[in-house]
């Protein structure tokens, strides 16, 4: 299975509207041994999906399909819109465990890839029982910072990989994120047993985001 590089656009202004579309098109031209994925803002996602050459992710979804719901995002719309997967329980968009369980269930049924964020090793273990496609270990205090989770918590990462493997009966792979900004971070993540990384500000805030993305995966 190819490693996953998922860029979360969050709501960074450099990634909204036309600028975001330009970046997505640039990403779609990258040829590599990685799965290149992006989670644009929800409004942008609705405009661009599906987009060839890139896996598009939603930044959130609610545990509903269709019906009398106002202001929600439905699993069905993502599925029908050609979206590949969804980020759930990001520390900037937390959801309770019961709601998360139902959301993972509906997404899995709809064949959406689920990337569920966990802030601690204990949370990662609770989530692993739900058997999402991926758990992204992201300590909130390192998100958006200069020091990466790799630099600060490499020992813990190995343990998280083992615990998630055990609790999910090997159904769930582990990603890491928070402060990832260099080729070294990415290489180390793979060496520690991660199936890929989640990145945001290092790419979204770069002068040339496509170049930065290539640099992370060792392309020129
Ligand atoms: O979703 C990924 C994110 O939370 C990591 O953010 O800016 O530290 O790369 P950043």
């Amino acid at each position: 299975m190819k490693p996953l590089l998922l860029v979360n656009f969050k709501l960074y202004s450099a990634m909204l509207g036309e600028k975001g579309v330009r970046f997505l098109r640039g990403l779609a031209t990258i040829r590599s041994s990685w799965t290149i994925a992006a989670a644009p803002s929800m409004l942008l996602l609705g405009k661009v999906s599906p987009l060839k050459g890139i896996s598009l992710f939603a930044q959130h979804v609610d545990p509903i399909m269709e019906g009398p719901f106002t202001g929600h995002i439905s699993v069905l719309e993502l599925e029908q819109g050609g979206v590949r997967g969804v980020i759930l329980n990001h520390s900037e968009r937390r959801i309770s465990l019961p709601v998360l369980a139902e959301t993972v269930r509906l997404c899995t049924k709809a064949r959406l890839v689920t990337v569920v964020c966990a802030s601690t090793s204990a949370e990662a273990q609770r989530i692993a029982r739900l058997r999402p496609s991926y758990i992204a270990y992201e300590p909130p205090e390192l998100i958006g910072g200069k020091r990466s989770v790799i630099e600060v918590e490499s020992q813990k990462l190995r343990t998280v990989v083992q615990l998630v493997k055990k609790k999910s009966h090997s159904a769930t792979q582990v990603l890491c994120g928070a402060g990832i900004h260099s080729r070294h971070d990415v290489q180390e993540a793979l060496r520690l047993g991660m199936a890929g990384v989640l990145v945001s500000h290092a790419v979204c805030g770069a002068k040339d985001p496509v170049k930065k993305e290539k640099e992370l995966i060792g392309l020129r």
Side-chain angles (χ1 to χ4, degrees):
M1 201 189 217
K2 288 179 172 188
L4 176 68
L5 175 53
L6 173 54
V7 187
N8 182 358
F9 288 18
K10 305 195 176 185
L11 286 179
Y12 284 122
S13 63
M15 292 294 153
L16 295 179
E18 245 335 284
K19 290 184 213 157
V21 174
R22 264 203 303 278
F23 177 47
L24 285 170
R25 292 207 180 109
L27 285 183
T29 64
I30 297 177
R31 297 286 165 263
S32 76
S33 55
W34 285 72
T35 296
I36 303 291
S41 78
M42 298 306 296
L43 289 183
L44 193 53
L45 181 68
K47 286 186 199 151
V48 296
S49 61
L51 185 66
K52 224 176 156 214
I54 183 167
S55 294
L56 288 172
F57 277 63
Q59 293 181 12
H60 173 74
V61 73
D62 295 302
I64 53 175
M65 295 303 275
E66 53 83 36
F69 301 97
T70 302
H72 292 73
I73 302 156
S74 88
V75 172
L76 184 67
E77 274 199 292
L78 296 188
E79 182 194 4
Q80 292 182 343
V83 171
R84 184 76 190 95
V86 61
I87 298 173
L88 293 168
N89 195 45
H90 193 281
S91 65
E92 293 149 10
R93 188 65 166 91
R94 304 271 297 170
I95 43 188
S96 69
L97 197 61
V99 173
L100 182 59
E102 177 60 1
T103 313
V104 169
R105 190 187 71 77
L106 288 175
C107 288
T108 306
K109 208 168 157 200
R111 294 179 183 279
L112 291 172
V113 174
T114 45
V115 172
V116 182
C117 298
S119 300
T120 63
S121 164
E123 190 182 18
Q125 291 176 68
R126 286 193 293 275
I127 293 169
R129 295 203 176 91
L130 309 178
R131 300 188 183 194
S133 321
Y134 297 94
I135 287 178
Y137 176 73
E138 297 203 331
E141 66 279 9
L142 297 175
I143 291 178
K146 288 198 173 124
R147 299 185 68 210
S148 72
V149 62
I150 297 289
E151 289 162 330
V152 182
E153 296 206 2
S154 64
Q155 269 321 102
K156 194 184 259 181
L157 285 169
R158 271 191 202 283
T159 315
V160 172
V161 171
Q162 284 161 7
L163 291 169
V164 167
K165 196 174 173 192
K166 192 171 160 203
K167 301 273 174 183
S168 72
H169 300 281
S170 299
T172 301
Q173 304 206 64
V174 180
L175 308 171
C176 67
I180 301 278
H181 60 272
S182 67
R183 172 78 183 128
H184 175 258
D185 284 337
V186 174
Q187 281 175 319
E188 275 298 289
L190 297 186
R191 198 180 65 78
L192 293 167
M194 309 284 135
V197 292
L198 242 82
V199 186
S200 187
H201 79 282
V203 169
C204 298
K207 215 183 220 166
D208 182 341
V210 176
K211 191 171 165 202
K212 182 67 191 178
E213 174 108 0
K214 286 183 171 172
E215 175 196 315
L216 290 177
I217 54 174
L219 295 176
R220 280 173 190 275

